[in-house]
Amino acid sequence: MHFPSLLSLQALWVALSHAMQHYPSVWGHYDVCKSQIYSDEGITWDYMACQPEATDMTKYLKVKLDPPGITCGDPPETYCALENPYMCNNECDANTPELAHPPELMFDFEGRNPTTFWQSSSWKKYPKPLLVNITLSWNKTIELTDDILITFESGRPEQMVLEKSLDFGRSWQPYQFYATDCLDAFTMEPKTVHDLTQHTLLDIICTEEYSRGYVWKYDKTVRFEIKERFALFAGPRLHNMASLYGQLDTTKNLRDFFTITDLRIKLLRPATGATMVDEDNLSRYFYAISDIKIQGRCKCNLHANTCVFDGGKLSCECEHNTTGPDCGRCKKTYQGRAWSVGSYLPIPKGTANISRVCDNELLRCQNGGVCHNHQRCQCPASYTGILCEKQKCENGGCDDSNSGQGALSPSNCPVLLLLLLLLTALLQGISCHLTL
């Protein structure tokens, strides 16, 4: 009696397994930074490129709206439906929790009924543009690993720009333009991500794909495609990750394209659903966003597999003798060679490019010291210091091996005594001359 149900479940599991096999994790694993190995010299470390796991980055952002008073509800306002101007029963009141629509509702748990969402005030000042900037900040460099999805509860905007910053909001550059008419709005020919090639991947395009009016009211999502750009190198099912990794390793502009510190959503014109704006019912025109999805990971330059959120701030737990928010420099005493970002290649371990105390090839150990395992210099008997740069005290003159000060040898004493006697005589002569 239950065989059909069991077969259906089995078919579903097979389908899911098939999908999992054909759509691997976009960035691979790289979840281990080092492992112990045994050699003739004993137990040593094998270092590998590593990075944190991709996660929902909206849990760690701060949101800012400009102008500050653009959120609806102060004063309370009644809204009409875009597709039916006579349906005006949606109220927004900032002082009533069940009727308020603050910005944090763009990032809360989806699936609630009724849907929660942020909402702007209506276009009461038409024809003055209804402009809203939504700035998302992490105070940390992050790498995008999946598509950015913005779900609108209202109609999707007729004009919008997605911007990015790489310097914590000091400067901005466009990521993508969105419009019902790209030529009219931005003087750009309309394109989609499918028009891009490996050579034009970094081009900034305007798309009309996500800006339809209220006729398409069930199309609520605006997307910035990340995976389809990855697929230009890794293939349509992201099988050839080595090709993508190789490009990311060798092309800084490509790596920077998927790297951000901040995102900004510029809403320029709300959905109107027609060529003309109904000036008798401006309560139909507004912005409302129910969800924003941003998948990514902390950028740790392949020198950390953990990123912690502490005190409202993200930071990498750095390995490979590196330090800094992004593991972007060597620790103070590990500068045997210049810091370098890790490498994805060769797959599957990559190259750690660890920061070293010393390097046999660069001969950083001084005064005859020998570099041992890149971790310390074995110094000759008369020298000490991290790079054998300090001469030890001799003949028991001092015991501080880290002072770097040479001891006074007995042979130097007569010379110093003679200099002291001469200086004393000179001072006495000057004193007598002044007395006379």
Side-chain angles (χ1 to χ4, degrees), residues 24-260:
S25 176
V26 170
W27 293 85
H29 292 291
Y30 294 96
D31 53 353
V32 178
C33 296
K34 61 184 179 182
S35 63
Q36 286 187 336
I37 58 174
Y38 297 89
S39 66
D40 294 339
E41 298 180 355
I43 299 176
T44 58
W45 289 107
D46 179 28
Y47 294 96
M48 295 160 279
C50 54
Q51 61 189 359
E53 183 181 358
T55 187
D56 176 9
M57 297 306 298
T58 62
K59 295 183 291 185
Y60 310 110
L61 61 77
K62 291 183 179 179
V63 60
K64 175 185 175 184
L65 268 63
D66 185 39
I70 195 64
T71 299
C72 70
D74 187 18
E77 189 174 353
T78 300
Y79 291 81
C80 302
L82 180 63
E83 62 274 15
N84 186 349
Y86 303 104
M87 186 184 296
C88 303
N89 55 2
N90 296 319
E91 187 178 357
C92 182
D93 184 351
N95 295 317
T96 306
E98 57 269 22
L99 298 177
H101 297 285
E104 54 265 28
L105 296 183
M106 290 186 278
F107 312 104
D108 63 340
F109 173 71
E110 282 299 289
R112 293 169 60 179
N113 191 13
T115 303
T116 57
F117 52 90
W118 164 81
Q119 185 169 319
S120 74
S121 56
S122 62
W123 203 0
K124 292 294 182 64
K125 295 182 179 179
Y126 177 86
K128 183 180 178 181
L130 182 60
L131 306 179
V132 182
N133 286 343
I134 303 172
T135 303
L136 313 178
S137 303
W138 285 269
N139 196 28
K140 171 77 179 75
T141 310
I142 67 171
E143 297 170 330
L144 300 173
T145 60
D146 208 335
D147 296 356
I148 297 171
L149 297 176
I150 306 168
T151 304
F152 284 83
E153 187 65 18
S154 62
R156 295 182 294 189
E158 292 183 0
Q159 295 177 16
M160 173 184 136
V161 184
L162 184 65
E163 296 181 321
K164 63 171 283 188
S165 176
L166 261 173
D167 55 10
F168 305 96
R170 288 187 288 272
S171 63
W172 295 89
Q173 60 193 73
Y175 236 172
Q176 193 149 291
F177 294 86
Y178 302 82
T180 52
D181 188 332
C182 285
L183 276 173
D184 179 62
F186 302 114
T187 64
M188 298 173 69
E189 290 285 347
K191 291 184 179 180
T192 70
V193 70
H194 302 292
D195 298 317
L196 298 175
T197 67
Q198 290 184 1
H199 301 293
T200 61
L201 186 151
L202 302 182
D203 288 357
I204 309 303
I205 65 171
C206 178
T207 179
E208 298 175 356
E209 190 173 1
Y210 304 106
S211 304
R212 299 187 183 100
Y214 74 91
V215 175
W216 303 93
K217 63 180 180 178
Y218 297 110
D219 291 341
K220 295 185 174 183
T221 301
V222 173
R223 183 182 297 263
F224 180 71
E225 304 90 345
I226 296 291
K227 281 191 171 181
E228 290 183 65
R229 286 172 165 85
F230 289 159
L232 291 172
F233 293 104
R237 295 186 179 274
L238 304 181
H239 280 314
N240 187 12
M241 295 305 293
S243 174
L244 175 62
Y245 293 149
Q247 292 294 328
L248 291 170
D249 269 357
T250 57
T251 312
K252 184 179 184 297
N253 288 345
L254 181 64
R255 187 181 300 186
D256 286 348
F257 185 82
F258 300 110
T259 304
I260 62 172

Side-chain angles (χ1 to χ4, degrees), residues 9 25 74 153 176 238 267 269 283 303 315 377 421 425:
L9 288 172
S25 176
D74 187 18
E153 187 65 18
Q176 193 149 291
L238 304 181
L267 304 173
R269 182 182 175 88
S283 295
H303 291 310
S315 59
C377 291
L421 290 172

Side-chain angles (χ1 to χ4, degrees), residues 18 147 218 332 403:
H18 184 76
D147 296 356
Y218 297 110
K332 187 174 182 180
S403 68

